[in-house]
Amino acid sequence: MNLSTIVNVKRPTSLDEVQGWHDGCSWLAGGTWLFSEPQVAVDTLIDLDRLGWAPLTVTEAGLEIAATCRVVELHAFAGLAEWHAVPLFRQCIDSFLMSFKIWNAATIGGNVCMSLPAGAMISLTAALEGVCTLWPRGGVPRTVPVAEFVTGNHANVLQPGELLRSIHLPAAALTKRTAMRQVSLTKFGRSAALIIGTVGQDGTDFLLTVTAATPKPVQLRFPACPSADALRAALDARLPPDAYFADVHGSAPYKRHVTQYLAEQIRTELA
Ligand SMILES: Cc1cc2nc3c(=O)[nH]c(=O)nc-3n(C[C@H](O)[C@H](O)[C@H](O)COP(=O)(O)OP(=O)(O)OC[C@H]3O[C@@H](n4cnc5c(N)ncnc54)[C@H](O)[C@@H]3O)c2cc1C
């Protein structure tokens, strides 16, 4: 849709060209959300597209995903042979309530910064122990784990004008085995629960990441694959009934039920 409040669109090739910041400024990534509804508080868009950041960079330490990397580029990523977690990229992307048109425009950073419970790129990068690099306006860069970046429904740790530059997925997490389950109330509906388990090749370091059912990612870590009882007890302790996110895509009791059901499936698969 046309955004009738916009009076200025900047297309910098370097962030040095971006001087000042006021309340009406907004970073523009793929624009799939920004142009999907009125943005009455926004008068200036600053397009990230021409900054020319390499979308995906493989290093010995892992994978660097630029915030401007498109969903479609991550979908096509093959990765190293020992990165057994790479098929999870496609599993999470396929769970998006998105048309192929949105896939081609939406960015990984845009999805993470939207910070919606059903943000599948949050699920993916949190489960793979991703760490965000943030560039504050005029300050020194800082890093925040993806699991701590999102603080609630459509809420995160970004300060005014602060930019998400990239997300680093460590090689150790990329080599783990993974299992994922996702459920929606309707066939192409928004996720009611998207749950991911990862475990090391030697059976140690079991990590369960609960998303979509909760306002922000919730992670449970065990030294090795837990028993069914231990997992259930940990879920109950960490996620009491009022910790679930109720919306039109599912009530809190429903999301609690499917979270426990799917977590047990994941545990069984990885054990
Ligand atoms: C049909 C449709 C289906 C959708 N389905 C889903 C879904 O299933 N799950 C889901 O989570 N979302 C969904 N969305 C919304 C979704 O979050 C966005 O479509 C997309 O992921 C956002 O990416 P973008 O690059 O287009 O971001 P934009 O629309 O360009 O930006 C989104 C927000 O993030 C900010 N932003 C973007 N990049 C950065 C950055 N690097 N640093 C700081 N701030 C930044 C922008 O200022 C803006 O506030 C859907 C949208 C549509 C239109």
Side-chain angles (χ1 to χ4, degrees):
M1 64 155 46
N2 290 335
L3 298 181
S4 56
T5 54
I6 304 300
V7 294
N8 199 354
V9 179
K10 298 179 179 176
R11 294 201 167 88
T13 53
S14 155
L15 285 179
D16 295 339
E17 297 166 33
V18 182
Q19 299 298 327
W21 184 271
H22 61 271
D23 280 348
C25 287
S26 175
W27 299 113
L28 167 64
T32 60
W33 176 76
L34 273 171
F35 286 95
S36 73
E37 57 183 74
Q39 306 290 342
V40 289
V42 179
D43 58 41
T44 302
L45 294 175
I46 305 169
D47 194 344
L48 301 173
D49 197 45
R50 293 194 189 167
L51 292 173
W53 296 337
L56 295 162
T57 308
V58 175
T59 68
E60 274 185 19
L63 178 65
E64 203 73 22
I65 306 172
T68 46
C69 174
R70 311 262 167 207
V71 169
V72 70
E73 291 170 314
L74 194 64
H75 195 268
F77 180 71
L80 305 181
E82 64 269 29
W83 287 0
H84 304 284
V86 168
L88 184 65
F89 294 12
R90 262 156 259 146
Q91 285 179 288
C92 288
I93 291 169
D94 290 342
S95 74
F96 264 133
L97 170 64
M98 280 187 170
S99 71
F100 71 93
K101 285 188 255 180
I102 302 270
W103 268 31
N104 283 298
T107 64
I108 308 307
N111 189 251
V112 172
C113 292
M114 279 298 295
S115 301
L116 299 175
M121 296 303 90
I122 300 167
S123 317
L124 171 71
T125 54
L128 295 179
E129 301 168 53
V131 176
C132 302
T133 295
L134 308 182
W135 283 1
R137 298 291 305 149
V140 289
R142 61 181 180 130
T143 56
V144 180
V146 176
E148 293 169 25
F149 176 88
V150 180
T151 54
N153 177 25
H154 202 24
N156 58 48
V157 300
L158 284 176
Q159 298 298 309
E162 193 168 28
L163 188 62
L164 170 62
R165 169 61 182 87
S166 60
I167 299 173
H168 174 73
L169 302 183
L174 286 163
T175 59
K176 290 170 88 175
R177 290 192 293 125
T178 66
M180 180 269 213
R181 295 289 187 280
Q182 181 262 356
V183 69
S184 302
L185 275 180
T186 54
K187 188 161 188 275
F188 296 112
R190 190 167 279 195
S191 298
L194 199 168
I195 318 222
I196 298 168
T198 65
V199 70
Q201 293 295 327
D202 59 358
T204 63
D205 196 18
F206 179 95
L207 180 66
L208 188 82
T209 303
V210 177
T211 59
T214 49
K216 59 182 182 175
V218 172
Q219 294 190 302
L220 301 174
R221 196 183 280 276
F222 300 83
C225 210
S227 67
D229 287 346
L231 182 61
R232 177 65 182 254
L235 274 171
D236 280 342
R238 185 71 184 278
L239 287 171
D242 63 356
Y244 289 86
F245 179 65
D247 66 357
V248 293
H249 306 288
S251 67
Y254 168 73
K255 291 184 178 181
R256 182 169 186 241
H257 173 75
V258 292
T259 296
Q260 293 176 343
Y261 180 73
L262 298 177
E264 174 53 20
Q265 284 191 357
I266 287 170
R267 188 199 68 82
T268 308
E269 182 177 327
L270 292 178

